[in-house]
C-alpha cells in the first residue's frame, strides 16, 4: 500500500456579494406568480435559511470556481504551471459540452489535464476520493479541485399554487458559491501521524434518484429558460429524499467510522452538508450521534451552497481556529441520487 497521501495545502471560498433575505425571496415569488403569495416566514421556518448569495446574471459556474481558485493559488504561492491536474467538481455546470473543467482551466491559464466529477452535492467529496487515489498512485503530485455552484437559478419563482410551491420550496434556500482545494503529495513520516486524506467511504441508494431532479441544462441554458413549466426547475419529493438520506446516514456513517478505526470524538471538526437545520438535529440525535459542538453551522447565513458546502465549512473551521494543523477532521456528504460519504483528513 502506498505511503503517499494527498495533503490539504489550502482551501478557499468565494461568495457572491449579492445577498438576498428570505423575505426578499418570498417577495420575488409573489411578484412572479399569478396571485400566489408564499406564507410569510415559511421558508426560513422549514429550512432555517435566512438569506442566500446570488451570482450575477452574466456569471457562470466556472466564474465562481475561478474566483475561489485565484484566491487559493495566490494565498498558496502556487503558479498555474505547477498544477499537475485540475478537477472541476460540482452539481452545476456551464453547459452540456464541453466539461466545465476546460472552461475553468482556460480562465486560469492552466495547461494541465482536466476533467469533471459530478455527483450532486457530494461532487467535491468524490473529487477528494479520486485525488487521493491518483496521488497515492504517483500519477500526480499537485492537484487543484475547483467548484462552482449556482443552484439558485433552478429555483422556480413563478408558481401557480401551494402544491407547486411545496415541491419547489427547498430550492429557495439554494445559494451560489465557488470553492477550491489544493492537494499535494506527501509521504507519511514513520515517527509521526500521517497527514492528508486517511480514508473515505461511500454508499448509495440509487433507487431514490427521481426524488430530487433538475431535468435540463447547464447554468447558461437555465438562465435563458422561459415559461412557468420549463423543465429546468428543481423539483423534490421531500419525504422520499429524506427517508433515503436518513437511512444512508444512520447505516453508513457508523460502518464507515468502524472501517477507518475512528469515532466521532476523534475529530476536532466535523463538516456536514447542510440543507435544513432539522437535518442537523437528526444527525446530532441519538441514532447517528454527531457531536453538535464539532459542527460549524453555515446554513442560516449562507444557504445551501450544494457541493461547496463542505469546503465552506472547512475554510471557516481553519479560519476560526476550530481546526488546527495536525487535527483530524471529518467531512460528511449527503446528496441527491442519493448518496452518502465520509472522508477522514488530518490537517
Amino acid at each position: 500500500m502506498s505511503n503517499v497521501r494527498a495533503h490539504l495545502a489550502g482551501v478557499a471560498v468565494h461568495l457572491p456579494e449579492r445577498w438576498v433575505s428570505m423575505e426578499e425571496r418570498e417577495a420575488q415569488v409573489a411578484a412572479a406568480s399569478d396571485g400566489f403569495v408564499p406564507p410569510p416566514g415559511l421558508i426560513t421556518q422549514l429550512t432555517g435559511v435566512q438569506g442566500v448569495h446570488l451570482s450575477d446574471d452574466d456569471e457562470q459556474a466556472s466564474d465562481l470556481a475561478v474566483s475561489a481558485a485565484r484566491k487559493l493559488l495566490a494565498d498558496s504561492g502556487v503558479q498555474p504551471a505547477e498544477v499537475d491536474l485540475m478537477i472541476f467538481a460540482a452539481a452545476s455546470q456551464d453547459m452540456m459540452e464541453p466539461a466545465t473543467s476546460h472552461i475553468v482551466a482556460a480562465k486560469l491559464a492552466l495547461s494541465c489535464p482536466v476533467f469533471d466529477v459530478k455527483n450532486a452535492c457530494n461532487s467535491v467529496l468524490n473529487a477528494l476520493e479520486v485525488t487521493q487515489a491518483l496521488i497515492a498512485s504517483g500519477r500526480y503530485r499537485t492537484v487543484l479541485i475547483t467548484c462552482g455552484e449556482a443552484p439558485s437559478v433552478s429555483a422556480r419563482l413563478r408558481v401557480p399554487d401551494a402544491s407547486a410551491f411545496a415541491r419547489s420550496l427547498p430550492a429557495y434556500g439554494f445559494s451560489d458559491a465557488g470553492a477550491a482545494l489544493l492537494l499535494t503529495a506527501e509521504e507519511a513520516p514513520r515517527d509521526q501521524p500521517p497527514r492528508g486524506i486517511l480514508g473515505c467511504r461511500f454508499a448509495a441508494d440509487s433507487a431514490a434518484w427521481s426524488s430530487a431532479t433538475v431535468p435540463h441544462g447547464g447554468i447558461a441554458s437555465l438562465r435563458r429558460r422561459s415559461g412557468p413549466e420549463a423543465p429546468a426547475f428543481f423539483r423534490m419529493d421531500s419525504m422520499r429524499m429524506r427517508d433515503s438520506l436518513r437511512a444512508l446516514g444512520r447505516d453508513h456513517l457508523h460502518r464507515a467510522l468502524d472501517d477507518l478505526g475512528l469515532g466521532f470524538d476523534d475529530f476536532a471538526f466535523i463538516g456536514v452538508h447542510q440543507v435544513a437545520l432539522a437535518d442537523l438535529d437528526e444527525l446530532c440525535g441519538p441514532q447517528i450521534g454527531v457531536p453538535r459542538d464539532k459542527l460549524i453551522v453555515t446554513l442560516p447565513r449562507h444557504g445551501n451552497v450544494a457541493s461547496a458546502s463542505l469546503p465552506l465549512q472547512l475554510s471557516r473551521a481553519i479560519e476560526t481556529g476550530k481546526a488546527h494543523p495536525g487535527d483530524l477532521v471529518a467531512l460528511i456528504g449527503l446528496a441527491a441520487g442519493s448518496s452518502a460519504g465520509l472522508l477522514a483528513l488530518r490537517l
Side-chain angles (χ1 to χ4, degrees), residues 17-323:
E17 291 185 7
R18 182 161 58 130
W19 187 84
V20 175
S21 69
M22 279 301 102
E23 289 81 2
E24 294 175 86
R25 209 66 168 139
E26 290 169 357
Q28 291 173 352
V29 173
S33 302
D34 298 324
F36 176 78
V37 177
L42 182 63
I43 300 171
T44 298
Q45 178 184 338
L46 293 179
T47 67
V49 178
Q50 298 167 4
V52 294
H53 299 272
L54 301 181
S55 51
D56 293 336
D57 290 342
D58 60 350
E59 275 189 305
Q60 304 297 324
S62 60
D63 295 313
L64 298 168
V66 165
S67 293
R70 283 181 175 150
K71 181 179 186 302
L72 175 58
L73 292 175
D75 290 347
S76 303
V78 173
Q79 299 300 313
E82 298 177 79
V83 177
D84 299 327
L85 173 71
M86 193 275 287
I87 301 173
F88 178 80
S92 302
Q93 59 189 21
D94 281 15
M95 54 188 71
M96 296 296 292
E97 187 79 10
T100 305
S101 54
H102 289 290
I103 303 173
V104 173
K107 292 175 179 178
L108 291 173
L110 298 178
S111 58
C112 61
V114 303
F115 59 83
D116 287 8
V117 168
K118 189 178 184 68
N119 184 21
C121 295
N122 273 342
S123 297
V124 168
L125 206 58
N126 282 121
L128 286 166
E129 179 184 35
V130 171
T131 296
Q132 167 59 24
L134 290 172
I135 283 181
S137 75
R139 183 67 186 87
Y140 300 102
R141 295 193 61 81
T142 303
V143 178
L144 176 65
I145 298 174
T146 64
C147 171
E149 294 286 19
S152 70
V153 302
S154 67
R156 183 180 185 181
L157 297 183
R158 183 182 177 187
V159 294
D161 51 40
S163 178
F165 177 72
R167 289 193 299 273
S168 305
L169 191 145
Y172 303 122
F174 286 171
S175 192
D176 302 340
L181 303 96
L182 186 67
L183 286 302
T184 58
E186 183 171 294
E187 187 166 356
R190 298 187 181 279
D191 58 341
Q192 297 177 25
R195 297 196 307 174
I197 296 174
L198 304 182
C200 43
R201 299 291 186 273
F202 285 87
D205 173 21
S206 298
W209 73 265
S210 62
S211 58
T213 61
V214 180
H216 282 291
I219 300 305
S221 64
L222 288 175
R223 292 198 188 280
R224 293 195 299 269
R225 67 183 173 218
S226 61
E229 300 302 326
F233 295 112
F234 176 85
R235 285 173 276 188
M236 185 173 184
D237 177 347
S238 297
M239 291 303 296
R240 178 68 179 91
M241 184 84 264
R242 216 172 274 276
D243 287 346
S244 175
L245 292 178
R246 181 182 292 120
L248 283 173
R250 183 183 63 244
D251 300 335
H252 172 66
L253 294 181
H254 288 289
R255 284 201 307 268
L257 288 171
D258 288 344
D259 286 349
L260 297 171
L262 295 168
F264 285 131
D265 289 338
D266 293 319
F267 300 102
F269 158 72
I270 299 174
V272 178
H273 178 56
Q274 298 177 15
V275 176
L277 291 182
D279 298 333
L280 296 184
D281 291 338
E282 185 155 336
L283 281 167
C284 296
Q287 284 196 320
I288 299 178
V290 176
R292 188 175 290 274
D293 63 352
K294 295 183 183 292
L295 303 181
I296 289 183
V297 181
T298 58
L299 183 74
R301 176 67 186 177
H302 301 301
N304 177 2
V305 291
S307 65
S309 174
L310 293 177
L312 171 61
Q313 295 169 57
L314 180 58
S315 174
R316 293 290 187 268
I318 294 171
E319 290 171 357
T320 60
K322 194 173 186 67

